[in-house]
Amino acid sequence: MIEPTFLVSRNLEAEEVCAVFDTDDDFTSYVQFFLAAFALGSLWIKRMREVPRRDFRTWFLDVSKMGIGAAYAHIANMAIAMFISANSRAEANLDDQCAWYAMNFLIDTTLGLALSLLLLHALEVVAVRKDWETLKDTGEYSEEGSWKTWRNQVLAWVGILTVVKIILTCFLWIFSPFFAEVGDILFSPMRSSPHFELIFVMILFPGVLNVLYFWVADSYLKKKPETDEGMELRRQDRGHDDDPMVLGAMGRESNAGLLGNG
């Protein structure tokens, strides 16, 4: 997931507040691009260390699937931070959107990731039982119909992320009094230096978590090794069916059966 960039804005009382979005500063876009490139670059390094290594086409489809999900999660996390900061159940409202985003981001990359992978596994189980070809083997893209397979897997992953975001938003809102106190304690020391808070929340904190999130999610979204073994077994089975020795043995067994029946 790609984290939003943050700005230090000033309210009417000239109090410095960390906000999650500002359309007037191009610096946010530059930092966002840097963080996205950093996370995607880590996936390229992971690919180079894979055994066996995915071909570029398969890797690109896997990463683009994750990229779309990350962009969606990026927008959703910004919206959640803005919503909770304006609708917190806490008596002492915490209007620091960066603090809310950081706490939401931490929950999302831990509990949220676990829920996402659990739902992905459940979907694969259902897909196998229902024989949904495009969903039962995540990361498998046949030459024929690969676009349809990729599209369905992207929609399924975005759907899973949507369910997880709804659950986490409810969790964060219900326990917002607790998280407001935690956020105030953790981020109040940095409010005297808003630029340090900006760098910490925008680069240091989410940068490491993003790499871990991308690596773990990629390991589950790519084609599983057992899928390759299953395909090899199916190829062997098809080869045995065409083997003259096998066909001859089957014929002798059939003839013996007929003679025995006679």
Side-chain angles (χ1 to χ4, degrees):
M1 64 184 62
I2 305 173
E3 65 289 347
T5 51
F6 302 83
L7 291 177
V8 176
S9 62
R10 295 180 180 274
N11 60 20
L12 296 177
E13 290 79 21
E15 179 185 358
E16 293 180 338
V17 178
C18 193
V20 297
F21 184 72
D22 192 325
T23 58
D24 297 328
D25 194 334
D26 292 336
F27 178 73
T28 60
S29 300
Y30 300 147
V31 175
Q32 200 170 94
F33 175 79
F34 170 79
L35 292 172
F38 181 72
L40 293 175
S42 70
L43 288 178
W44 176 260
I45 295 175
K46 180 176 182 291
R47 174 181 181 264
M48 300 303 293
R49 297 171 60 88
E50 286 179 340
V51 179
R53 183 184 302 172
R54 284 170 287 180
D55 61 87
F56 181 79
R57 172 181 170 274
T58 300
W59 176 84
F60 179 79
L61 290 174
D62 285 341
V63 170
S64 62
K65 181 166 57 179
M66 287 187 59
I68 292 175
Y72 173 76
H74 159 70
I75 297 173
N77 284 340
M78 285 201 307
I80 292 172
M82 290 185 283
F83 171 79
I84 297 295
S85 65
N87 298 276
S88 173
R89 298 174 61 244
E91 295 181 1
N93 187 40
L94 177 64
D95 59 354
D96 188 344
Q97 294 180 3
C98 296
W100 283 112
Y101 181 84
M103 291 184 289
N104 176 51
F105 189 84
L106 178 61
I107 295 172
D108 194 27
T109 52
T110 52
L111 177 61
L113 178 60
L115 287 174
S116 298
L117 298 180
L118 182 63
L119 291 175
L120 179 65
H121 176 70
L123 176 63
E124 290 177 344
V125 171
V126 173
V128 170
R129 291 178 179 176
K130 299 291 186 179
D131 196 27
W132 296 340
E133 282 293 333
T134 60
L135 295 178
K136 63 183 182 180
D137 288 327
T138 301
E140 174 70 31
Y141 314 104
S142 60
E143 292 295 336
E144 182 178 354
S146 60
W147 158 249
K148 180 181 178 182
T149 300
W150 177 85
R151 179 200 64 192
N152 290 350
Q153 291 185 11
V154 167
L155 292 176
W157 181 238
V158 170
I160 288 172
L161 292 178
T162 301
V163 173
V164 172
K165 295 299 180 188
I166 293 174
I167 294 174
L168 295 186
T169 301
C170 294
F171 175 80
L172 201 60
W173 181 77
I174 291 172
F175 295 99
S176 58
F178 167 76
F179 286 112
E181 292 185 9
V182 172
D184 186 61
I185 294 173
L186 293 178
F187 287 89
S188 58
M190 290 185 280
R191 291 190 188 121
S192 60
S193 178
H195 288 105
F196 177 76
E197 181 183 3
L198 177 70
I199 294 173
F200 176 80
V201 176
M202 184 167 52
I203 298 177
L204 300 180
F205 179 68
V208 175
L209 288 177
N210 254 338
V211 172
L212 294 176
Y213 181 95
F214 270 61
W215 277 48
V216 173
D218 179 63
S219 298
Y220 282 85
L221 288 174
K222 71 178 185 178
K223 183 170 64 175
K224 308 298 187 299
E226 56 265 25
T227 301
D228 292 331
E229 295 173 4
M231 292 177 63
E232 180 63 26
L233 289 174
R234 287 194 293 269
R235 283 196 295 268
Q236 292 177 2
D237 290 340
R238 288 195 298 268
H240 289 163
D241 290 343
D242 297 333
D243 192 327
M245 296 181 64
V246 174
L247 293 176
M250 292 174 62
R252 288 192 296 272
E253 292 177 0
S254 176
N255 291 336
L258 290 174
L259 291 174
N261 292 335

